[in-house]
Amino acid sequence: MIHQPVQDLLEIIRLTESVSAQVHGVYDNDTIFKIVTDQFASSKRYIASVLLLTDDGSCLSLHESSIGNRVIGAMEKAAGVFKENYIIELNKSTIFSQVVKDGRTVQATASDILRELLPKPLTSVLVKILGVGEQPSILTPLHTGGNTIGVLALSAPTLAEYLTPSVQNLAHHISMALELADEYSQRESAESALRKNEERFRFLVENSSNGIAILDPNGSILCESPANHWLLGYEPGESPGITMLDNIHPNDQTRLSQTFIELLDKPGHTISDIFRVRHKSGSWHLLEVTATNLLGEPSVCGVVVNFRDITDRKQAEEAQRRSESYLRTIIENMPDVIVIVNAEGTILYRSPSAKYLFGYASDEPIDKNALDFIHPDDALQVMQIFAEVVRIPGYTVSIEFRIQHKDGSWRTVELLGKNLLDDPVVEGVVLYFRDITEHKGAEEALRVSEAKLRTLFNEANDGIVYADTFGTILDMNLKMEEIFGYTREQVIGKNFTALPFVDSQTMEHLVKSFAESMESGLTQMLTFELVREGGGRVHVEVNVGLIGNEDSTYNTLVIIRDISERRHAEDESSRRKHLEELDKLRAAFLASVSHELRTPLTSIKGFASTLTQSDIQWDPETQRDFLLTIEHEADVLTRIVEDLVDMSKLEAGVMKMHHGQASIYTILKQLRDQMSDIIDTQRLQIEIPQDLPAIYVDQIRIGQILANLVQNAAFYSDEGTRITLSAARMDDQILVTVADKGIGIPTEHLDKVFDRFYRLESGVKRRRGGTGLGLAICKGIVEGHGGNIWVDSELGVGSKFSFSLPIAANFEHLNDIDYFVNGKNEGFYRQKNSGNKQNKKFRRDLTPNRVGLS
């Protein structure tokens, strides 16, 4: 019978051997430790723990233990420390330091071990929790690679001294398993790294923008990267059998062959060159090629060729070269001066044009600081600004000052400076100089000129207004305030059409003239009456001219002259002249009237005296002839008196018109007896339709006009000459015309034939009696009816007198109105039976409407 202690010893030995067998073939350290602790935990009798050294080798920490989680939790709670923080400092340990530092296997009680692992006050508590008391434990080192990495602790309740070889053997097997796991892990890492490197290399080759190829000694391609094809413009699989070597430019093939032969003679040698290759598009691309002779390298056995398309780079370099050349040419030929100085003002660079500004040739050394060129009066300000520029990177400033030329003269310059001290390309302050000496002189001359012009503008004796294209007033001088009555503040900025200085009709004319001036570019002269601010009128003479702007637009310059005094003098002169003409006309009228009155009166007097002589007995026929002559001369006197009365009524505005509806045809029938002598001596042709619309007129006065015009035509025409009296409708008017084939009227007399007392005697074979008032009366009567009268004539061909009258439909509402006319293009009307005797005035537009007249 075997004693229980021996049986326990055999059991634990078998357990250690079983654990030793299970850890072999496991390639993960944590799994190995887990197998050890789990196996001892399953025995429910032994406690196995693994403690590992920290990275610095100064401490041991509890890595794995067969103590259950419940117990571990109780220990953590009791100790107030987590398992991961159970640390044994070797320099403070007496037990574990022997195992780790000396490599010994030792026995120690559980309480001793806990005292080194945990704070002392907690040791007795944990001993009771674990129930281990003074139970012995075997501590033996764990190794890998000949180095101690930790400690295996195994409790041995009985026969611990006999169990030590088994624990050591277990530790040995664990150490061997750990070494195998480390070796496996390292091999796996190496293989994984190799695979990753191969994948990276393959990825780099397949995705590289550079082409890669390996050539044999004959130049044949052994292998190549995908980029080889798309560098030539082909998609994958699109160019079977086409290689870079097949597309080398003919002019580069010889050089490529020679280079390749030379490379084959030099193992390990590398050459670089640039060749032209035909792209799929047919264009030639530049390839930069690097080839290395690796024929002697077993893993390669070929010439490795790397190449890349540098067409874009070469083009960019060429473009940059041209750009730099272009910029250099601009800088060297630009009139402005570029100077680069350091923070102290020392000149680092100056453009060639600096010789014109400073007087120094581009290759001539300058022993002056840039600040030494500044005029003494400007130096302080410029130096302060320069200090500010230097202090602030990127700061830009613009300033004007004077600098000294080499010949001692002073030049005014405009400077633009920028701090580029931090720019690695420039590393300085860039100064752009522009010589504005002449410009400043011109500015000063312009300022003086403008001052003179402003003085002339303000002191001019004429008013001056400056306006833009749209008529907005931009400026005006002081004289204009005097003429206009408005201040500059009231006028400037307003459009001239918004100012009430003329009536609407005159404003319409001014706007039209302004537009014509803008369109034609010609100066316009206008004269009108201007209404001053607050009332009062001024006669002005206006010149409208254009002033061109730089943008091809125009502004308007209006010069206004007050001609009120001159106009007054002209009016006075005109009035005197008019009075003189009236005196002449009155004298001529009196002479004519006295002559016209004397002639019939003489006849009447003579024939009457003859008839009353007692010593002569006249036969009845003679008496009748004398009495008829007296009657005719009395009619002449009556006609003269009637003309005078009618003219007087016209001028006084008291000629009364008895209007009624009538037609030209009926009026003419009433005149047949009056014009019978004309019909007998002349060929009077009447062309008057009977269906003409009615007119609203004084029939006697219109008959008076017809008779007068026909008699005039007969008087100024030879006997038997045809006279035509016609009438027709023209729109809303009746047009009446009397045409003859007589002597005609000279052009210079056409505008006088309707004047009072005017008589045309030149070319008339027989003098006609009369006062010269007939046509003037006709004009007054026609205009009193709201019509117009005019004449067309050609000397030696004949004349055509025409007048127009409104159709009756336009005046039906005026049946109860009496008209009075004054022969001055004005009329008065008075309402019948209204009790209102106030005259109301009207005015007609007398511009002849000659539409359709020949």
Side-chain angles (χ1 to χ4, degrees), residues 222-294:
L222 299 177
C223 64
E224 59 182 335
S225 66
N228 292 22
H229 294 282
W230 64 256
L231 278 172
L232 300 178
Y234 297 96
E235 296 296 332
E238 186 182 0
S239 58
I242 298 177
T243 67
M244 179 185 68
L245 298 177
D246 298 327
N247 290 280
I248 295 295
H249 194 282
N251 295 340
D252 295 344
Q253 289 180 357
T254 302
R255 180 162 53 87
L256 176 62
S257 298
Q258 293 175 348
T259 302
F260 189 72
I261 292 171
E262 292 176 2
L263 181 65
L264 293 177
D265 293 337
K266 299 177 181 179
H269 188 63
T270 300
I271 58 98
S272 295
D273 207 339
I274 296 175
F275 301 98
R276 288 166 290 179
V277 177
R278 181 186 287 109
H279 192 266
K280 177 184 176 183
S281 63
S283 60
W284 293 100
H285 284 218
L286 286 174
L287 297 186
E288 184 180 63
V289 179
T290 299
T292 302
N293 184 346
L294 296 179

Side-chain angles (χ1 to χ4, degrees), residues 749-767:
H749 293 279
L750 287 175
D751 59 346
K752 300 178 182 179
V753 295
F754 294 105
D755 291 350
R756 293 170 295 168
F757 315 125
Y758 182 79
R759 294 169 61 90
L760 181 64
E761 300 293 346
S762 176
V764 181
K765 295 181 179 179
R766 60 191 185 282
R767 187 183 184 281

Side-chain angles (χ1 to χ4, degrees), residues 604-786:
I604 293 171
K605 174 73 174 172
F607 283 104
S609 298
T610 301
L611 289 173
T612 59
Q613 288 181 7
S614 59
D615 57 342
I616 300 175
Q617 186 67 36
W618 304 102
D619 60 84
E621 185 177 353
T622 301
Q623 289 181 16
R624 178 178 174 78
D625 289 340
F626 284 178
L627 289 173
L628 289 174
T629 300
I630 291 172
E631 183 182 21
H632 174 75
E633 296 299 332
D635 289 340
V636 172
L637 283 176
T638 300
R639 188 173 69 251
I640 293 173
V641 172
E642 286 177 349
D643 286 349
L644 291 173
V645 171
D646 286 345
M647 196 70 241
S648 298
K649 287 181 178 180
L650 283 170
E651 292 201 348
V654 294
M655 177 180 279
K656 186 175 181 181
M657 301 289 182
H658 300 282
H659 288 69
Q661 289 194 6
S663 70
I664 293 296
Y665 186 80
T666 57
I667 294 172
L668 184 60
K669 285 178 62 177
Q670 298 172 7
L671 298 176
R672 183 174 293 276
D673 294 338
Q674 185 178 344
M675 293 190 294
S676 59
D677 57 338
I678 299 175
I679 295 174
D680 293 339
T681 59
Q682 308 286 135
R683 293 175 59 192
L684 180 60
Q685 181 177 343
I686 299 175
E687 300 175 354
I688 301 178
Q690 295 186 29
D691 59 350
L692 284 177
I695 52 178
Y696 190 74
V697 296
D698 186 323
Q699 298 183 44
I700 295 175
R701 294 298 184 187
I702 299 302
Q704 183 180 348
I705 297 171
L706 292 173
N708 194 301
L709 294 179
V710 172
Q711 288 169 358
N712 272 355
F715 179 72
Y716 290 101
S717 302
D718 293 335
E719 290 185 8
T721 303
R722 186 175 64 184
I723 298 173
T724 302
L725 173 59
S726 62
R729 177 171 183 167
M730 298 295 294
D731 297 329
D732 59 349
Q733 295 184 334
I734 298 297
L735 177 66
V736 181
T737 303
V738 177
D740 63 55
K741 301 294 184 180
I743 62 175
I745 304 172
T747 304
E748 63 270 17
H749 293 279
L750 287 175
D751 59 346
K752 300 178 182 179
V753 295
F754 294 105
D755 291 350
R756 293 170 295 168
F757 315 125
Y758 182 79
R759 294 169 61 90
L760 181 64
E761 300 293 346
S762 176
V764 181
K765 295 181 179 179
R766 60 191 185 282
R767 187 183 184 281
R768 179 194 179 196
T771 59
L773 296 175
L775 290 178
I777 293 172
C778 289
K779 181 175 184 290
I781 294 172
V782 169
E783 292 174 351
H785 283 79

Side-chain angles (χ1 to χ4, degrees), residues 527-543:
T527 302
F528 59 89
E529 191 176 51
L530 180 148
V531 180
R532 287 173 51 83
E533 193 273 340
R537 294 177 177 269
V538 180
H539 289 280
V540 293
E541 184 179 77
V542 178
N543 279 290

